[in-house]
Amino acid sequence: MKNIAVIYHSGHGNTEHFARLVVTGAQSVDDTNVSLLKAEPLTGQPDRLIEFDGYVFGSPTYLGGVSGPFKSFMDATGGLWRKQQLKGKLAAGFTVSALPSGDKQSTLLSMFTFAMQHGLVWVGNPFLPEQSSGVPYEQAINRLGSWTGMMAQAGHSAPGQSYAPGDLRTAEAFGRNFASVLARVAVPAEEMV
Ligand SMILES: Cc1cc2nc3c(=O)[nH]c(=O)nc-3n(C[C@H](O)[C@H](O)[C@H](O)COP(=O)(O)O)c2cc1C
């Protein structure tokens, strides 16, 4: 059984909406347990991370980067970093923002760098944008063309707004891919160097 934590912050509920779809996708893979965790309480108990085999990080893009609460969570893992206690586990990231670009890439790169500093192994979002093969743009998986991690577009209003169906499909596919990769490559901790 593999244990995945989907760790997110969401100021207005949009990132949470996509986090739940990532969970649904990951849970569709056999022998996978998925926990949906808010970043804020984890900031006070970062050692909880040790119990998981893989992490999917989710943050809205605020002013071109991760949100303040998500950064606080990242910074709270300094003790784990010093002992490299997460080394060799898997990680991936996703972000939600209002504009088609909106500097979402910057948020994903921040998560990627964080993962690299912890010795985590990064898993991307390996889907060809489906609009290239004739699927209508709004419905296409990876319509925003992001391989570093998953991107979704959502406005400023609370959830319940209409998201692009393609982004909803991408979130599920991204979660399913992460769990599939984890199932294939996870190495028992005692075999790590
Ligand atoms: C302080 C703040 C900064 C934001 N900065 C950006 C930005 O840089 N790029 C962008 O496209 N959207 C930006 N947005 C819009 C949010 O990313 C968007 O509303 C998103 O859906 C919020 O996700 P949440 O509901 O999970 O908090 C910003 C919103 C706020 C509140």
Side-chain angles (χ1 to χ4, degrees):
M1 189 61 81
K2 298 288 180 285
N3 292 309
I4 294 173
V6 176
I7 300 166
Y8 73 97
H9 166 253
S10 184
H12 307 283
N14 294 299
T15 306
E16 177 168 335
H17 189 88
F18 285 95
R20 291 187 182 281
L21 291 168
V22 172
V23 169
T24 302
Q27 273 173 338
S28 70
V29 174
D30 288 344
D31 300 326
T32 305
N33 273 330
V34 190
S35 302
L36 181 63
L37 303 174
K38 288 184 191 286
E40 297 95 314
L42 268 184
T43 300
Q45 41 182 211
D47 287 356
R48 275 200 68 193
L49 291 183
I50 294 169
E51 73 194 65
F52 298 98
D53 303 298
Y55 314 95
V56 181
F57 303 123
S59 170
T61 292
Y62 286 172
L63 295 167
V66 295
S67 63
F70 196 84
K71 182 68 168 90
S72 295
F73 154 72
M74 291 161 93
D75 291 352
T77 64
L80 296 168
W81 171 82
R82 259 186 296 282
K83 296 185 197 154
Q84 289 288 285
Q85 285 169 287
L86 307 183
K87 188 176 168 185
K89 299 181 186 227
L90 264 56
F94 69 95
T95 187
V96 178
S97 92
L99 294 163
S101 165
D103 288 325
K104 285 193 264 290
Q105 180 76 358
S106 174
T107 302
L108 293 178
L109 289 178
S110 170
M111 293 174 178
F112 168 76
T113 306
F114 167 72
M116 292 299 97
Q117 290 215 2
H118 274 290
L120 293 161
V121 179
W122 191 254
V123 179
N125 185 47
F127 301 105
L128 291 178
E130 286 184 329
Q131 64 266 36
S132 313
S133 48
V135 176
Y137 176 67
E138 289 288 314
Q139 292 165 30
I141 284 186
N142 200 13
R143 72 189 180 103
L144 295 173
S146 174
W147 286 268
T148 314
M150 201 275 285
M151 293 182 179
Q153 196 176 358
H156 295 277
S157 52
Q161 61 185 277
S162 52
Y163 302 108
D167 290 357
L168 303 173
R169 295 176 61 220
T170 307
E172 271 202 53
F174 170 72
R176 186 161 50 248
N177 176 72
F178 183 80
S180 304
V181 173
L182 181 62
R184 267 184 280 139
V185 308
V187 176
E190 57 274 17
E191 291 179 22
M192 295 295 303
V193 180

